[in-house]
Amino acid sequence: MNHAATNEPTAKDQSVITIRTLGRFDVEKNQQSLVEASPGARKLWELFKFMLTHRHRSFTPEALLDGLWASEDYNDPRSTLRRQMHRLRQILEENEHSQSPSLSIIYVNGYYRWNPEVDARVDADVFESSVQLGDALQGQHPEKALIHYQKALSLYHGDYLPECNDQQWVFPVRSHYRRLYLKAV
């Protein structure tokens, strides 16, 4: 279940992951920042951000490493990513035997992809859907449209993944959210 349309996890399910991408990056689980708890995991969080941003795509290990760290040379990309994924799961405090879907990136048929079963609330998704609702209501219900635009504006705290200034893959996505923000204003 994706809580993109709501602002708060339900009382029944506190396992919802909150992911902030607009203005600053953070991942919260049980109201604890996992990013702050793992300050030495820069590369792991880059991997997480890349997969989150491209969560509707699948990548071979080689393509994933090329997309993220093209300037680095890996003798064994599959082994490198396996280790990175293992460390990322440790940071995310995932239990492989858990009944609930994990936040991890999954490996299926030779490809890594975002787990579509993840129970996460991503601020950029809520922002975008609020702008789209505002657009849909603008013609016939401008007062209702204004409420959705205001909600979108309250979520936009700055550029998408601002700490990724040296990552080319983030630029088109960042521009997309900037355009939506300007449109909502």
Side-chain angles (χ1 to χ4, degrees):
M1 169 189 260
N2 190 331
H3 288 270
T6 64
N7 281 332
E8 297 300 323
T10 62
K12 178 179 131 187
D13 186 7
Q14 290 300 315
S15 66
V16 173
I17 305 298
T18 302
I19 304 171
R20 289 185 177 82
T21 59
L22 299 170
R24 72 180 178 95
F25 174 72
D26 200 5
V27 178
E28 291 182 358
K29 185 175 181 179
N30 299 323
Q31 300 176 337
Q32 299 289 323
S33 173
L34 300 179
V35 175
E36 289 176 13
S38 57
R42 183 185 61 82
K43 280 199 152 200
L44 300 178
W45 288 120
E46 284 178 8
L47 172 61
F48 181 89
K49 292 172 196 174
F50 184 85
M51 292 304 294
L52 173 71
T53 300
H54 301 290
R55 62 189 170 275
H56 303 295
R57 294 179 52 196
S58 298
F59 297 91
T60 64
E62 296 81 8
L64 186 51
L65 288 174
D66 279 347
L68 269 169
W69 305 298
S71 63
E72 296 182 31
D73 189 28
Y74 296 97
N75 292 332
D76 186 0
R78 292 182 187 279
S79 177
T80 299
L81 274 178
R82 256 193 316 274
R83 283 190 306 274
Q84 297 282 24
M85 294 299 175
H86 176 73
R87 289 182 56 216
L88 185 57
R89 284 186 189 101
Q90 287 177 323
I91 289 172
L92 296 170
E93 301 171 354
E94 295 180 350
N95 181 348
E96 293 180 23
H97 306 292
S98 172
Q99 296 296 326
S100 63
S102 69
L103 187 61
S104 69
I105 297 140
I106 56 178
Y107 188 75
V108 178
N109 297 327
Y111 290 87
Y112 283 101
R113 67 182 179 95
W114 184 262
N115 184 349
E117 300 296 316
V118 168
D119 198 6
R121 182 176 55 107
V122 181
D123 63 346
D125 291 347
V126 179
F127 167 76
E128 187 166 15
S129 67
S130 295
V131 172
Q132 289 171 347
L133 285 168
D135 290 349
L137 294 169
Q138 190 176 29
Q140 293 187 321
H141 303 285
E143 16 352 276
K144 290 180 181 179
L146 182 60
I147 292 168
H148 291 288
Y149 288 135
Q150 287 171 331
K151 179 180 180 180
L153 294 176
S154 74
L155 292 168
Y156 193 89
H157 298 286
D159 280 338
Y160 181 79
L161 299 177
E163 64 285 334
C164 291
N165 284 331
D166 60 339
Q167 302 288 333
Q168 297 286 326
W169 55 265
V170 80
F171 297 153
V173 179
R174 185 177 290 160
S175 293
H176 169 73
Y177 289 119
R178 256 192 224 146
R179 281 192 304 274
L180 286 178
Y181 171 74
L182 293 173
K183 183 180 188 181
V185 169

